[in-house]
Amino acid sequence: MSAMEYHKDFITYLDSDTCLKILMCLDDPADLVRVTCVSRSWRHSVIANGLCKQLCLRMFPQLSRVASVVELNQHGAKEHEEVGSSYSMEWLVLQREHRVFSYLGKALMSSVAMNCIAEADCASSTDDFPRESIDNTLEPRDFISGRYSYWSSMGRSNPNVPETLTYNLVSQFCVITEINIQPFQAHFQLESPIYSANSVRFKMGHLKGYLNSLYEEFFVWTYTSPEFPMSQENRLQKFKLPEPVLCIGGILQIELLGRVQRQEMDGLLYICVSHVQVLGCSLSPPFNVDILHPSEMFVLERDQLANHQPVVTSGKRCFRRVKRRYSGDCDHIGCIRRRSLGE
Protein backbone atom coordinates (compact mmCIF):
# COMPACT_ATOMS: atom_id res chain seq x y z
CA MET A 1 0.00 0.00 0.00
CA SER A 2 1.43 3.40 -0.99
CA ALA A 3 2.16 6.15 1.55
CA MET A 4 -0.47 8.38 -0.05
CA GLU A 5 -3.22 5.96 1.00
CA TYR A 6 -2.42 6.64 4.67
CA HIS A 7 -2.94 10.40 4.28
CA LYS A 8 -6.25 11.59 5.71
CA ASP A 9 -8.03 14.92 5.34
CA PHE A 10 -8.37 15.91 9.01
CA ILE A 11 -11.13 18.43 8.21
CA THR A 12 -13.48 15.57 7.37
CA TYR A 13 -13.11 14.37 10.98
CA LEU A 14 -13.89 17.75 12.57
CA ASP A 15 -17.17 19.49 13.19
CA SER A 16 -17.74 22.65 11.12
CA ASP A 17 -17.17 25.09 14.02
CA THR A 18 -13.76 23.61 14.88
CA CYS A 19 -12.77 23.55 11.23
CA LEU A 20 -13.77 27.21 10.87
CA LYS A 21 -11.78 28.26 13.97
CA ILE A 22 -8.66 26.61 12.57
CA LEU A 23 -8.97 28.23 9.14
CA MET A 24 -9.69 31.65 10.67
CA CYS A 25 -6.25 31.55 12.33
CA LEU A 26 -4.76 32.28 8.92
CA ASP A 27 -4.02 36.01 8.63
CA ASP A 28 -2.66 36.21 5.08
CA PRO A 29 -5.05 36.14 2.08
CA ALA A 30 -2.44 34.21 0.09
CA ASP A 31 -2.59 31.38 2.64
CA LEU A 32 -6.37 31.16 2.31
CA VAL A 33 -6.02 30.92 -1.48
CA ARG A 34 -3.47 28.11 -1.03
CA VAL A 35 -5.86 26.31 1.31
CA THR A 36 -8.51 26.20 -1.44
CA CYS A 37 -6.06 24.21 -3.58
CA VAL A 38 -5.60 21.42 -1.02
CA SER A 39 -8.89 19.61 -1.48
CA ARG A 40 -12.51 20.10 -2.45
CA SER A 41 -13.65 20.06 1.19
CA TRP A 42 -11.11 22.73 2.15
CA ARG A 43 -12.09 24.87 -0.82
CA HIS A 44 -15.77 24.53 0.06
CA SER A 45 -15.12 25.54 3.69
CA VAL A 46 -13.18 28.67 2.70
CA ILE A 47 -15.71 29.84 0.12
CA ALA A 48 -18.92 28.87 1.93
CA ASN A 49 -17.84 30.72 5.08
CA GLY A 50 -16.54 33.77 3.20
CA LEU A 51 -13.16 33.56 4.93
CA CYS A 52 -11.38 35.90 2.49
CA LYS A 53 -14.10 38.50 3.05
CA GLN A 54 -13.91 38.05 6.83
CA LEU A 55 -10.12 38.46 6.78
CA CYS A 56 -10.40 41.70 4.76
CA LEU A 57 -13.04 42.95 7.22
CA ARG A 58 -10.72 42.26 10.15
CA MET A 59 -7.95 44.17 8.39
CA PHE A 60 -10.18 47.07 7.33
CA PRO A 61 -13.52 47.48 9.18
CA GLN A 62 -14.54 50.14 6.60
CA LEU A 63 -15.37 47.22 4.27
CA SER A 64 -18.44 46.48 6.39
CA ARG A 65 -20.19 49.04 4.14
CA VAL A 66 -19.87 46.76 1.09
CA ALA A 67 -23.38 46.00 -0.17
CA SER A 68 -22.26 43.72 -3.01
CA VAL A 69 -19.32 42.93 -5.27
CA VAL A 70 -19.17 42.82 -9.06
CA GLU A 71 -16.55 41.73 -11.59
CA LEU A 72 -16.05 43.67 -14.80
CA ASN A 73 -15.16 41.79 -17.99
CA GLN A 74 -12.80 42.84 -20.79
CA HIS A 75 -15.42 45.29 -22.05
CA GLY A 76 -15.76 47.01 -18.68
CA ALA A 77 -19.24 45.56 -18.19
CA LYS A 78 -20.58 43.45 -15.32
CA GLU A 79 -20.23 39.71 -15.77
CA HIS A 80 -23.42 38.09 -17.08
CA GLU A 81 -25.44 36.48 -14.29
CA GLU A 82 -26.24 32.85 -14.99
CA VAL A 83 -29.72 31.50 -14.33
CA GLY A 84 -30.16 28.48 -12.08
CA SER A 85 -31.54 27.20 -8.80
CA SER A 86 -31.42 29.44 -5.73
CA TYR A 87 -28.66 27.23 -4.27
CA SER A 88 -26.51 27.44 -7.40
CA MET A 89 -27.03 31.20 -7.61
CA GLU A 90 -26.04 31.61 -3.96
CA TRP A 91 -22.92 29.51 -4.57
CA LEU A 92 -21.98 31.67 -7.57
CA VAL A 93 -22.28 34.80 -5.40
CA LEU A 94 -20.06 33.22 -2.74
CA GLN A 95 -17.48 32.25 -5.36
CA ARG A 96 -17.47 35.78 -6.80
CA GLU A 97 -17.02 37.29 -3.34
CA HIS A 98 -14.17 34.87 -2.67
CA ARG A 99 -12.38 35.88 -5.87
CA VAL A 100 -12.84 39.62 -5.36
CA PHE A 101 -11.84 39.65 -1.69
CA SER A 102 -8.87 37.32 -2.24
CA TYR A 103 -7.52 39.69 -4.92
CA LEU A 104 -8.31 42.68 -2.71
CA GLY A 105 -6.50 41.08 0.23
CA LYS A 106 -3.43 40.52 -1.92
CA ALA A 107 -3.51 44.16 -3.07
CA LEU A 108 -3.88 45.40 0.52
CA MET A 109 -0.88 43.35 1.66
CA SER A 110 1.45 44.21 -1.22
CA SER A 111 0.84 47.92 -1.85
CA VAL A 112 3.71 50.43 -2.09
CA ALA A 113 3.47 53.72 -0.18
CA MET A 114 3.12 56.95 -2.18
CA ASN A 115 1.82 60.49 -1.73
CA CYS A 116 -1.93 60.09 -2.27
CA ILE A 117 -2.99 63.74 -2.69
CA ALA A 118 -4.26 64.51 -6.18
CA GLU A 119 -5.49 68.04 -5.58
CA ALA A 120 -6.26 70.52 -2.83
CA ASP A 121 -10.02 70.96 -2.54
CA CYS A 122 -10.74 73.81 -0.13
CA ALA A 123 -9.89 75.43 3.20
CA SER A 124 -12.39 76.58 5.81
CA SER A 125 -10.91 80.08 5.54
CA THR A 126 -8.03 81.84 3.77
CA ASP A 127 -6.55 85.14 4.91
CA ASP A 128 -5.22 86.39 1.57
CA PHE A 129 -6.55 84.43 -1.42
CA PRO A 130 -4.95 83.33 -3.73
CA ARG A 131 -1.53 84.31 -2.39
CA GLU A 132 -2.03 82.20 0.75
CA SER A 133 -4.15 79.47 -0.90
CA ILE A 134 -4.39 75.84 0.23
CA ASP A 135 -2.78 74.94 -3.11
CA ASN A 136 0.54 76.12 -1.63
CA THR A 137 0.48 73.19 0.83
CA LEU A 138 1.15 70.77 -2.06
CA GLU A 139 4.60 72.32 -2.60
CA PRO A 140 7.32 70.86 -0.31
CA ARG A 141 9.33 74.09 -0.43
CA ASP A 142 8.22 77.06 1.67
CA PHE A 143 10.15 79.64 -0.37
CA ILE A 144 9.65 79.74 -4.15
CA SER A 145 10.67 82.34 -6.72
CA GLY A 146 11.53 84.92 -4.11
CA ARG A 147 8.37 84.60 -1.99
CA TYR A 148 7.08 82.45 0.85
CA SER A 149 4.67 79.61 0.00
CA TYR A 150 2.06 78.65 2.61
CA TRP A 151 -1.62 78.56 3.50
CA SER A 152 -2.92 80.94 6.17
CA SER A 153 -6.24 80.93 7.96
CA MET A 154 -8.11 84.11 8.74
CA GLY A 155 -7.24 85.68 12.09
CA ARG A 156 -9.45 84.95 15.10
CA SER A 157 -9.62 86.30 18.62
CA ASN A 158 -10.95 82.97 19.96
CA PRO A 159 -8.15 80.35 20.26
CA ASN A 160 -10.67 77.48 20.07
CA VAL A 161 -11.94 78.24 16.52
CA PRO A 162 -10.77 75.30 14.34
CA GLU A 163 -9.74 75.27 10.69
CA THR A 164 -9.98 72.52 8.07
CA LEU A 165 -7.99 71.67 4.96
CA THR A 166 -9.74 69.29 2.54
CA TYR A 167 -8.01 67.29 -0.20
CA ASN A 168 -9.03 65.01 -3.08
CA LEU A 169 -7.03 61.79 -3.12
CA VAL A 170 -5.67 60.01 -6.20
CA SER A 171 -8.67 57.66 -6.35
CA GLN A 172 -11.93 56.84 -4.59
CA PHE A 173 -10.37 53.73 -3.04
CA CYS A 174 -7.15 54.32 -1.08
CA VAL A 175 -5.36 52.92 1.94
CA ILE A 176 -3.96 55.71 4.13
CA THR A 177 -1.29 55.08 6.77
CA GLU A 178 0.21 58.47 7.66
CA ILE A 179 -0.39 62.21 7.30
CA ASN A 180 2.51 64.65 7.54
CA ILE A 181 2.11 68.38 8.18
CA GLN A 182 4.64 71.20 8.36
CA PRO A 183 3.57 74.38 10.21
CA PHE A 184 4.73 77.63 8.64
CA GLN A 185 7.37 79.84 10.21
CA ALA A 186 7.04 83.52 9.27
CA HIS A 187 10.68 84.58 8.98
CA PHE A 188 9.51 87.95 7.65
CA GLN A 189 7.90 88.79 11.01
CA LEU A 190 9.55 89.86 14.26
CA GLU A 191 11.04 86.85 16.14
CA SER A 192 10.00 84.50 13.29
CA PRO A 193 6.79 83.08 14.87
CA ILE A 194 5.53 79.58 14.00
CA TYR A 195 1.79 79.43 13.33
CA SER A 196 1.06 75.82 14.26
CA ALA A 197 -2.15 74.35 15.66
CA ASN A 198 -2.39 72.86 19.11
CA SER A 199 -3.51 69.46 17.76
CA VAL A 200 -4.79 67.76 14.59
CA ARG A 201 -7.42 65.21 13.67
CA PHE A 202 -8.17 63.51 10.35
CA LYS A 203 -11.41 62.54 8.62
CA MET A 204 -11.92 60.40 5.51
CA GLY A 205 -15.02 59.84 3.43
CA HIS A 206 -16.94 60.81 0.33
CA LEU A 207 -19.30 63.39 -1.12
CA LYS A 208 -22.88 63.35 0.03
CA GLY A 209 -25.41 62.20 -2.55
CA TYR A 210 -27.72 65.14 -1.88
CA LEU A 211 -28.24 68.02 0.54
CA ASN A 212 -31.43 68.88 2.40
CA SER A 213 -30.02 72.31 3.21
CA LEU A 214 -27.15 74.52 2.07
CA TYR A 215 -26.01 74.50 5.68
CA GLU A 216 -25.46 70.74 5.71
CA GLU A 217 -22.02 69.17 5.66
CA PHE A 218 -21.01 68.33 2.06
CA PHE A 219 -19.31 65.07 3.04
CA VAL A 220 -20.05 61.74 4.69
CA TRP A 221 -17.19 60.80 7.01
CA THR A 222 -16.55 57.06 7.31
CA TYR A 223 -13.47 57.44 9.53
CA THR A 224 -12.38 59.94 12.18
CA SER A 225 -8.93 59.59 13.73
CA PRO A 226 -7.89 60.19 17.33
CA GLU A 227 -6.56 63.66 18.14
CA PHE A 228 -2.79 64.09 17.77
CA PRO A 229 -0.76 66.83 19.51
CA MET A 230 1.14 69.17 17.16
CA SER A 231 4.47 70.76 18.08
CA GLN A 232 5.12 74.45 17.47
CA GLU A 233 8.11 73.60 15.28
CA ASN A 234 8.96 74.35 11.66
CA ARG A 235 9.45 70.75 10.50
CA LEU A 236 7.46 68.06 8.71
CA GLN A 237 5.60 66.42 11.59
CA LYS A 238 4.52 62.81 11.07
CA PHE A 239 1.14 61.58 12.29
CA LYS A 240 0.93 57.82 11.87
CA LEU A 241 -2.59 56.41 12.12
CA PRO A 242 -3.15 53.67 14.74
CA GLU A 243 -4.04 51.28 11.91
CA PRO A 244 -4.07 51.68 8.10
CA VAL A 245 -7.42 53.12 7.02
CA LEU A 246 -9.41 52.38 3.87
CA CYS A 247 -10.63 55.71 2.49
CA ILE A 248 -13.81 55.07 0.53
CA GLY A 249 -14.72 58.05 -1.63
CA GLY A 250 -11.34 59.75 -1.95
CA ILE A 251 -11.82 62.75 0.40
CA LEU A 252 -9.46 63.52 3.29
CA GLN A 253 -9.90 66.41 5.68
CA ILE A 254 -7.39 67.75 8.19
CA GLU A 255 -8.85 69.40 11.28
CA LEU A 256 -6.49 71.93 12.86
CA LEU A 257 -7.59 72.34 16.48
CA GLY A 258 -6.56 75.19 18.76
CA ARG A 259 -4.57 78.31 17.89
CA VAL A 260 -1.27 78.98 19.65
CA GLN A 261 0.34 81.92 17.82
CA ARG A 262 -0.88 85.50 17.88
CA GLN A 263 0.22 87.92 15.13
CA GLU A 264 1.77 91.03 16.64
CA MET A 265 0.44 93.34 13.92
CA ASP A 266 -3.30 92.82 14.59
CA GLY A 267 -3.34 90.79 17.81
CA LEU A 268 -5.28 87.92 16.17
CA LEU A 269 -4.54 84.20 16.26
CA TYR A 270 -3.69 82.40 13.00
CA ILE A 271 -2.87 78.88 11.79
CA CYS A 272 -0.49 78.55 8.84
CA VAL A 273 0.71 75.41 7.03
CA SER A 274 3.49 75.20 4.48
CA HIS A 275 3.26 71.56 3.39
CA VAL A 276 0.99 68.48 3.66
CA GLN A 277 1.66 64.87 2.66
CA VAL A 278 -0.80 61.97 2.76
CA LEU A 279 1.00 58.62 2.59
CA GLY A 280 -0.66 55.41 1.47
CA CYS A 281 -1.59 53.71 -1.78
CA SER A 282 -4.36 53.68 -4.36
CA LEU A 283 -6.23 50.44 -5.01
CA SER A 284 -7.43 51.67 -8.40
CA PRO A 285 -7.67 50.81 -11.28
CA PRO A 286 -8.07 47.10 -10.35
CA PHE A 287 -10.68 48.09 -7.75
CA ASN A 288 -13.27 50.83 -7.68
CA VAL A 289 -16.33 51.73 -5.64
CA ASP A 290 -19.83 52.84 -6.57
CA ILE A 291 -21.40 54.60 -3.59
CA LEU A 292 -25.12 53.99 -3.12
CA HIS A 293 -27.25 56.90 -1.95
CA PRO A 294 -28.94 57.48 0.45
CA SER A 295 -27.78 54.31 2.28
CA GLU A 296 -24.07 55.33 1.88
CA MET A 297 -23.23 51.65 1.34
CA PHE A 298 -21.14 50.87 -1.73
CA VAL A 299 -20.61 48.33 -4.49
CA LEU A 300 -17.06 46.99 -4.71
CA GLU A 301 -16.00 46.55 -8.35
CA ARG A 302 -13.04 44.52 -9.59
CA ASP A 303 -11.70 45.04 -13.11
CA GLN A 304 -10.33 41.64 -14.14
CA LEU A 305 -7.96 43.11 -16.75
CA ALA A 306 -6.43 45.95 -14.74
CA ASN A 307 -3.02 45.56 -13.14
CA HIS A 308 -2.43 46.74 -9.60
CA GLN A 309 0.05 49.59 -9.77
CA PRO A 310 0.16 53.12 -8.32
CA VAL A 311 -1.62 55.51 -10.67
CA VAL A 312 -1.84 59.25 -10.00
CA THR A 313 -5.09 60.66 -11.31
CA SER A 314 -6.53 64.13 -11.31
CA GLY A 315 -8.87 65.21 -8.54
CA LYS A 316 -10.44 67.92 -10.72
CA ARG A 317 -13.38 65.74 -11.73
CA CYS A 318 -14.33 65.27 -8.08
CA PHE A 319 -14.06 69.00 -7.31
CA ARG A 320 -16.14 69.96 -10.34
CA ARG A 321 -18.78 67.50 -9.15
CA VAL A 322 -18.94 69.27 -5.78
CA LYS A 323 -19.49 72.66 -7.38
CA ARG A 324 -22.00 71.38 -9.91
CA ARG A 325 -24.03 69.41 -7.39
CA TYR A 326 -24.23 72.01 -4.67
CA SER A 327 -23.64 75.27 -6.56
CA GLY A 328 -21.40 76.28 -3.66
CA ASP A 329 -17.79 77.31 -3.19
CA CYS A 330 -15.17 77.07 -0.49
CA ASP A 331 -15.87 80.57 0.85
CA HIS A 332 -19.50 79.49 1.32
CA ILE A 333 -18.36 76.41 3.26
CA GLY A 334 -16.19 78.58 5.46
CA CYS A 335 -19.07 81.00 6.00
CA ILE A 336 -21.34 78.16 7.08
CA ARG A 337 -18.74 76.90 9.56
CA ARG A 338 -18.17 80.36 11.00
CA ARG A 339 -21.92 80.83 11.49
CA SER A 340 -22.21 77.47 13.24
CA LEU A 341 -19.43 78.57 15.60
CA GLY A 342 -21.30 81.78 16.36
CA GLU A 343 -18.64 84.13 15.00
Side-chain angles (χ1 to χ4, degrees):
M1 185 178 291
S2 68
M4 287 297 294
E5 292 183 62
Y6 290 100
H7 291 181
K8 300 291 184 180
D9 183 351
F10 73 89
I11 277 187
T12 60
Y13 294 91
L14 300 175
D15 61 88
S16 58
D17 289 342
T18 304
C19 169
L20 187 58
K21 288 180 180 177
I22 293 172
L23 293 176
M24 286 184 70
C25 291
L26 299 174
D27 58 3
D28 188 328
D31 290 336
L32 283 174
V33 172
R34 294 186 187 101
V35 163
T36 62
C37 300
V38 173
S39 69
R40 290 179 181 175
S41 61
W42 286 36
R43 175 178 171 79
H44 184 274
S45 294
V46 170
I47 296 177
N49 292 290
L51 295 189
C52 282
K53 179 180 180 178
Q54 290 189 49
L55 177 55
C56 288
L57 278 167
R58 293 201 300 273
M59 294 165 61
F60 294 93
Q62 295 81 24
L63 288 169
S64 63
R65 300 169 69 90
V66 173
S68 62
V69 300
V70 299
E71 293 177 300
L72 305 181
N73 59 28
Q74 63 267 32
H75 304 296
K78 295 180 183 179
E79 286 288 349
H80 177 66
E81 297 284 354
E82 296 182 21
V83 178
S85 67
S86 59
Y87 174 80
S88 65
M89 294 300 295
E90 182 181 351
W91 181 245
L92 287 173
V93 170
L94 289 171
Q95 286 181 307
R96 180 166 62 247
E97 287 190 345
H98 170 73
R99 288 193 300 270
V100 170
F101 281 104
S102 62
Y103 279 108
L104 177 61
K106 179 183 177 182
L108 292 169
M109 298 286 284
S110 60
S111 300
V112 178
M114 57 181 281
N115 189 354
C116 288
I117 295 179
E119 186 179 55
D121 191 330
C122 65
S124 52
S125 75
T126 301
D127 188 47
D128 184 7
F129 185 86
R131 192 173 68 88
E132 297 174 340
S133 164
I134 184 179
D135 291 331
N136 296 334
T137 63
L138 304 182
E139 173 57 55
R141 298 170 296 169
D142 60 5
F143 194 78
I144 305 170
S145 303
R147 71 174 187 86
Y148 288 96
S149 174
Y150 61 97
W151 162 81
S152 174
S153 72
M154 295 177 67
R156 307 289 183 211
S157 57
N158 183 355
N160 297 318
V161 176
E163 296 287 347
T164 60
L165 300 175
T166 306
Y167 297 88
N168 294 319
L169 302 182
V170 293
S171 76
Q172 289 197 85
F173 205 39
C174 295
V175 176
I176 305 301
T177 57
E178 184 178 301
I179 296 95
N180 302 330
I181 306 171
Q182 182 169 348
F184 176 67
Q185 183 169 17
H187 292 289
F188 52 84
Q189 294 182 359
L190 186 64
E191 298 183 356
S192 300
I194 300 172
Y195 290 93
S196 69
N198 186 55
S199 61
V200 294
R201 186 166 53 208
F202 310 106
K203 292 182 177 180
M204 301 182 211
H206 58 83
L207 289 171
K208 222 172 213 182
Y210 61 91
L211 289 181
N212 293 318
S213 164
L214 287 176
Y215 295 94
E216 260 188 70
E217 173 65 78
F218 282 12
F219 307 106
V220 174
W221 302 118
T222 56
Y223 172 81
T224 301
S225 79
E227 197 171 314
F228 298 87
M230 175 178 268
S231 301
Q232 195 174 7
E233 300 176 26
N234 179 28
R235 61 178 175 83
L236 192 64
Q237 300 181 35
K238 298 183 178 182
F239 303 99
K240 191 173 181 63
L241 299 175
E243 298 289 343
V245 175
L246 196 58
C247 179
I248 299 161
I251 304 291
L252 182 139
Q253 186 175 90
I254 298 172
E255 290 186 292
L256 300 158
L257 308 170
R259 298 163 187 257
V260 299
Q261 184 60 53
R262 196 176 298 275
Q263 183 174 255
E264 185 177 354
M265 183 169 52
D266 59 10
L268 297 177
L269 294 153
Y270 292 80
I271 300 176
C272 302
V273 172
S274 60
H275 185 45
V276 171
Q277 285 180 342
V278 175
L279 299 184
C281 65
S282 170
L283 297 172
S284 296
F287 297 94
N288 205 353
V289 294
D290 183 13
I291 297 170
L292 306 174
H293 302 291
S295 70
E296 310 305 344
M297 302 289 282
F298 69 95
V299 176
L300 176 60
E301 299 176 349
R302 175 184 168 248
D303 188 337
Q304 299 182 62
L305 296 183
N307 295 319
H308 182 68
Q309 56 185 354
V311 176
V312 177
T313 58
S314 170
K316 292 180 180 178
R317 178 177 62 84
C318 181
F319 186 51
R320 282 197 294 267
R321 190 165 67 246
V322 175
K323 293 200 293 186
R324 182 172 63 250
R325 182 175 294 165
Y326 305 126
S327 300
D329 56 28
C330 298
D331 290 336
H332 177 61
I333 299 172
C335 178
I336 292 171
R337 287 210 178 95
R338 288 195 292 277
R339 278 189 210 169
S340 67
L341 291 166
E343 293 183 59

